[in-house]
Amino acid sequence: MHETRRRLALALTGALFAALLAACATPAPDRAALTRQVADTERAFAKTMADRDARAFASFLSEETVFFNRQGAVRGKAAVVADWQRFFATPKAPFSWEPKEVEVLPSGTLALTSGPVFAPDGSKVAGFTSIWRLEAP
């Protein structure tokens, strides 16, 4: 009987400690602020193409990144950078993009952006979807 009480006391102590930690945790991030942050990140990413800056483009990519081209998935930062070198080969950007839709999880750790892709003349030629994962504050 004494052992059962001890286990119950330990379980309750653990539950109370977990509740205390949850109560002391930082408040949930402001979703509007997170949405702006993700949209600004997508715009900065797109600006790397306009600026013809392949190194800056690569700085936005996770080591685990996955892009899709006509042949299928391109996996890993190095492979994506190599695949996209062709888009940085000319003085003028072959396309541009801009986020129109942004969705962010309440935790701020995962987000989705989507929007149009434009030809150099400004005509819409495609659409894009990016999934962003927060890897560092």
Side-chain angles (χ1 to χ4, degrees), residues 12-25:
L12 288 173
T13 301
L16 288 172
F17 183 71
L20 179 61
L21 282 177
C24 293

Side-chain angles (χ1 to χ4, degrees), residues 26-38 102 104-109:
T26 55
D30 175 3
R31 286 194 56 166
L34 288 172
T35 299
R36 282 190 303 278
Q37 180 183 4
V38 171
V102 180
V104 184
L105 291 180
S107 66
T109 58

Side-chain angles (χ1 to χ4, degrees), residues 27-49:
D30 175 3
R31 286 194 56 166
L34 288 172
T35 299
R36 282 190 303 278
Q37 180 183 4
V38 171
D40 289 347
T41 300
E42 183 71 62
R43 286 186 195 96
F45 184 49
K47 189 174 183 310
T48 67
M49 178 63 68

Side-chain angles (χ1 to χ4, degrees), residues 28-100:
D30 175 3
R31 286 194 56 166
L34 288 172
T35 299
R36 282 190 303 278
Q37 180 183 4
V38 171
D40 289 347
T41 300
E42 183 71 62
R43 286 186 195 96
F45 184 49
K47 189 174 183 310
T48 67
M49 178 63 68
D51 291 347
R52 317 307 295 132
D53 191 343
R55 177 176 279 158
F57 171 85
S59 74
F60 283 86
L61 303 179
S62 166
E63 290 299 329
E64 297 181 311
T65 198
V66 178
F67 275 47
F68 292 90
N69 63 24
R70 290 185 177 149
Q71 287 76 42
V74 179
R75 298 178 186 279
K77 182 176 184 172
V80 170
V81 168
D83 187 52
W84 274 59
Q85 283 300 323
R86 60 196 158 111
F87 299 130
F88 289 94
T90 60
K92 187 171 176 158
F95 56 86
S96 62
W97 69 94
E98 181 178 326
K100 290 294 181 197

